[in-house]
Amino acid sequence: MDCEGRELEPISLDDVEAAIVRLQAEDVEAVAICFMHAYANAAHEEAAAELVAARMPDAYLSVSNRVLPQVRFYERTSTTVLNAVVGPVLKRYMQNLRRRLAQDGFDGVLRIMQSNGGVTSPQAVAALAASTLLSGPAAAPTAGLAAMQPHREDSFITVDMGGTSFDAAMVVGGRPAITTTGAVNRFALALPSMEIITIGAGGGSIAWIDDGLLRMGPQSAGAVPGPACYAKGGLEPTCSDANLVLGYLSPDFFAGGSIALDSDAAHRAIATRVAEPLGLDTLRAAYGMYQVMNVNMASAIREISVQKGWDPREFALICAGGAGAVHAAMIARELGMRRIVVPREASIFCASGMLQTDLKHDFVRSYSAALADATADRSHLAALLDAMSEEASTVLDSEGIAPSDRHFVCSVDLRYLGQYQEVSVETTEEQLRGGRWSEIRESFHDRHDRLYGYALREEDAVVELVNLRLSALGRTGKPATQHEPLAEPGVAHLRKGSRSVFQPETGGLAETPVYDGDRLRHGNRLEGPAIVERITTTIFVPTGFTLAVDSFGGCVLEDHAAEAAP
């Protein structure tokens, strides 16, 4: 097949047979099939797939025109191979999971999270296993939309800091950022996925000296042996050890008191491996560790915002994860962000987001044409849209989604003629079918300008269409949300006591009130400096910040010091 889908010579099924014999001899359990121009005409690829399925009925089959029918041979091949690698593992896992659920009497609906921020059925995910490879933090934007309902906002940045990693994602106008340039262990994954920046920054991140410079992570002490303060044999100084030395964490109330932290072990680890080599006292070394962590995480937020053309100061910061709220205020101040929301479910943020997520399936067809009335074949374009819509409807039919609960979103991958990378621009089916190219071109110019700082609008540069995309959404039932009744603002009765906490504004320790965060109610309000302790997370409220509780039980921090700044 050539790039136009024309057959140059028939497929040699004898060659396919020979390859099958070799694969059988090696006891291969998964086969990836990828022909160079299968995106234009899949007949040869499907003929090979049919023969492999007949000769190797137990093998997991990953076929590129079913996985990712688009141009770019390497990306399509890499994605198809990744799908083959993870396919058998996920298929067995799903079979075992469904069997166990049936044995336990589960009569609900099982949905599986995908990297694109939507859920799908076990049957669908078994066929496209690679769609789950980056699914871990993918529900964060959806959880963020739920958390921001009391504030009637749909543009924000979410961060999730746990024990080993820090994830940052962005939502603008209710739409999470999506990318098709993902990677798994440096192998390209071109399926649509949430654009999430992940760095090695968590409670277990290890401090180390690099030619006289203090570094934090990406190495992690993990859960075992864990930070030195866990008293499980760990000797390396970590972020959690620094937070304990600085007073942000309580040695007696970590995980609600179920885990006792060893302050002496934390001091020893920081003193011997950080403070002494740098010629600092232990407290200054711990604060240096805290600052480096904050700078690293702020840099990740800049990567997801500033480098995409957005000013983080214009967004709220939603902070999740068990460790995030200790750092949130100082990260926000580093970036000039004035408002932070710490959801009530911060420690299970992504899990709660999964319960709010709709079904989602992505479809793509490659179509190369200049974006102009004279060159774009509207009939061919309409046929491609029809094919994707029909495929999407078939999938949603299989998942029992009523037509009234379906929503299709179209987008196009565009570039200036001569460029290599495309820019994805959301459009409407009416614009595409009606040939309203000038409107689409204008959207592309705006998007390109935001991403790269320039547009070739005045030069009347040719805009090239590369791919058509369709996202099919199926609305699912959501858990009911309840707003808490408004309580009095006072919190004196919630004060647990006080402890010595490092205050960045003064550069020293100061006795700081500690409040019971699990008893905070809608309308409660307090001023920093303060510590708010919940069983699953601790919130540091620095001087200049206030904390108020919203109707969902989330804690909203406002930086009034930043507001007063010129």
Side-chain angles (χ1 to χ4, degrees):
M1 298 292 181
D2 66 10
C3 63
E4 300 294 332
R6 296 184 294 260
E7 185 179 68
L8 301 179
E9 61 180 81
I11 184 174
S12 172
L13 293 179
D14 290 340
D15 289 346
V16 179
E17 286 277 13
I20 291 172
V21 171
R22 292 178 58 190
L23 295 174
Q24 289 173 320
E26 297 292 337
D27 292 326
V28 167
E29 67 171 352
V31 179
I33 302 175
C34 190
F35 291 1
M36 181 168 287
H37 296 304
Y39 64 89
N41 187 336
H44 287 179
E45 195 172 80
E46 285 297 330
E50 183 179 354
L51 190 55
V52 172
R55 299 289 189 269
M56 303 175 66
D58 296 328
Y60 183 91
L61 199 55
S62 180
V63 186
S64 81
N65 78 85
R66 305 174 191 173
V67 174
L68 190 70
Q70 71 175 55
V71 294
R72 294 238 165 96
F73 187 56
Y74 165 69
E75 286 83 354
R76 179 159 46 91
T77 301
S78 177
T79 303
T80 303
V81 171
L82 286 172
N83 192 63
V85 170
V86 74
V89 177
L90 186 62
K91 185 176 180 180
R92 286 192 292 270
Y93 174 79
M94 295 307 306
Q95 290 172 343
N96 292 335
L97 176 62
R98 296 175 73 182
R99 183 175 63 253
R100 287 288 304 274
L101 289 173
Q103 291 172 352
D104 292 342
F106 175 73
D107 59 358
V109 177
L110 177 62
R111 302 294 191 198
I112 309 301
M113 192 68 204
Q114 301 178 97
S115 308
N116 64 5
V119 293
T120 187
S121 65
Q123 297 85 350
V125 83
L128 192 59
S131 66
T132 66
L133 283 172
L134 302 176
S135 63
T142 302
L145 286 168
M148 293 301 285
Q149 285 180 19
H151 311 285
R152 302 180 184 276
E153 292 184 32
D154 58 7
S155 295
F156 50 82
I157 295 171
T158 68
V159 297
D160 192 328
M161 179 186 180
T164 59
S165 64
F166 174 85
D167 304 312
M170 189 163 197
V171 175
V172 180
R175 299 293 178 87
I178 298 290
T179 183
T180 54
T181 58
V184 176
N185 195 26
R186 295 180 296 176
F187 292 100
L189 180 67
L191 294 172
S193 60
M194 289 288 185
E195 190 165 15
I196 296 173
I197 300 299
T198 299
I199 64 171
S205 292
I206 295 172
W208 54 288
I209 309 300
D210 178 18
D211 196 21
L213 297 176
L214 175 62
R215 307 285 190 186
M216 294 296 296
Q219 307 93 328
S220 176
V224 178
C229 61
Y230 278 18
K232 294 182 178 180
L235 300 176
E236 300 287 353
T238 68
C239 175
S240 292
D241 293 309
N243 289 339
L244 181 61
V245 168
L246 294 170
Y248 300 140
L249 297 180
S250 166
D252 305 316
F253 194 71
F254 190 72
S258 61
I259 299 176
L261 299 183
D262 187 338
S263 294
D264 292 338
H267 277 82
R268 284 195 302 271
I270 294 174
T272 57
R273 299 187 181 232
V274 179
E276 292 175 8
L278 294 178
L280 301 172
D281 62 55
T282 302
L283 184 66
R284 294 294 169 186
Y287 184 56
M289 293 166 63
Y290 179 78
Q291 286 180 302
V292 171
M293 287 292 295
N294 293 343
V295 169
N296 290 346
M297 291 184 281
S299 296
I301 295 174
R302 288 191 181 98
E303 185 173 349
I304 200 71
S305 57
V306 176
Q307 293 185 21
K308 302 298 180 181
W310 299 101
D311 186 344
R313 293 174 297 182
E314 298 174 358
F315 295 81
L317 179 67
I318 301 180
C319 182
V326 169
H327 298 263
M330 300 313 295
I331 294 172
R333 187 165 281 176
E334 170 80 14
L335 294 167
M337 303 175 74
R338 300 183 178 185
R339 192 149 67 104
I340 307 159
V341 177
V342 182
R344 182 176 52 193
E345 303 82 7
S347 63
I348 54 167
F349 191 61
C350 287
S352 67
M354 292 180 191
L355 299 177
Q356 305 281 345
T357 300
D358 289 325
L359 291 156
K360 185 177 182 183
H361 302 281
D362 295 301
F363 305 90
V364 61
R365 296 290 187 274
S366 288
Y367 177 40
S368 180
L371 198 65
D373 287 307
T375 54
D377 184 345
R378 285 162 57 183
S379 62
H380 181 53
L381 186 148
L384 294 177
L385 287 174
D386 289 340
M388 289 191 291
S389 297
E390 183 178 350
E391 188 176 352
S393 296
T394 300
V395 173
L396 293 177
D397 283 341
S398 70
E399 293 176 324
I401 301 299
S404 60
D405 288 327
R406 302 176 185 182
H407 178 56
F408 292 174
V409 178
C410 296
S411 61
V412 288
D413 293 346
L414 304 172
R415 64 189 179 193
Y416 291 120
L417 190 64
Q419 286 185 324
Y420 180 75
Q421 295 290 349
E422 305 89 41
V423 173
S424 185
V425 176
E426 187 173 314
T427 183
T428 65
E429 188 172 344
E430 292 75 21
Q431 285 177 318
L432 291 171
R433 292 186 186 275
R436 288 150 55 183
W437 313 126
S438 60
E439 297 175 13
I440 299 173
R441 263 199 308 272
E442 193 61 28
S443 296
F444 167 72
H445 290 316
D446 290 343
R447 179 68 176 145
H448 195 280
D449 189 25
R450 180 173 287 280
L451 283 173
Y452 303 114
Y454 75 95
L456 302 180
R457 183 184 286 107
E458 300 301 325
E459 293 81 354
D460 199 26
V462 175
V463 177
E464 184 182 12
L465 173 63
V466 180
N467 295 312
L468 295 171
R469 297 186 183 274
L470 181 107
S471 293
L473 304 174
R475 282 187 287 272
T476 60
K478 310 293 191 302
T481 56
Q482 293 184 342
H483 293 268
E484 294 182 359
L486 186 64
E488 293 295 326
V491 294
H493 62 293
L494 303 179
R495 181 165 172 167
K496 298 168 63 175
S498 64
R499 64 171 176 263
S500 187
V501 174
F502 188 89
Q503 299 299 332
E505 291 75 21
T506 61
L509 295 169
E511 202 66 17
T512 303
V514 180
Y515 295 92
D516 185 348
D518 291 311
R519 294 172 58 204
L520 286 173
R521 295 293 178 263
H522 175 209
N524 288 161
R525 181 182 176 87
L526 59 88
E527 294 186 0
I531 295 289
V532 175
E533 290 183 334
R534 287 177 166 171
I535 291 175
T536 55
T537 192
T538 297
I539 305 171
F540 171 48
V541 187
T543 301
F545 278 85
T546 60
L547 181 149
V549 183
D550 65 25
S551 61
F552 278 5
C555 292
V556 182
L557 282 72
E558 301 270 0
D559 189 355
H560 297 285
E563 292 175 1

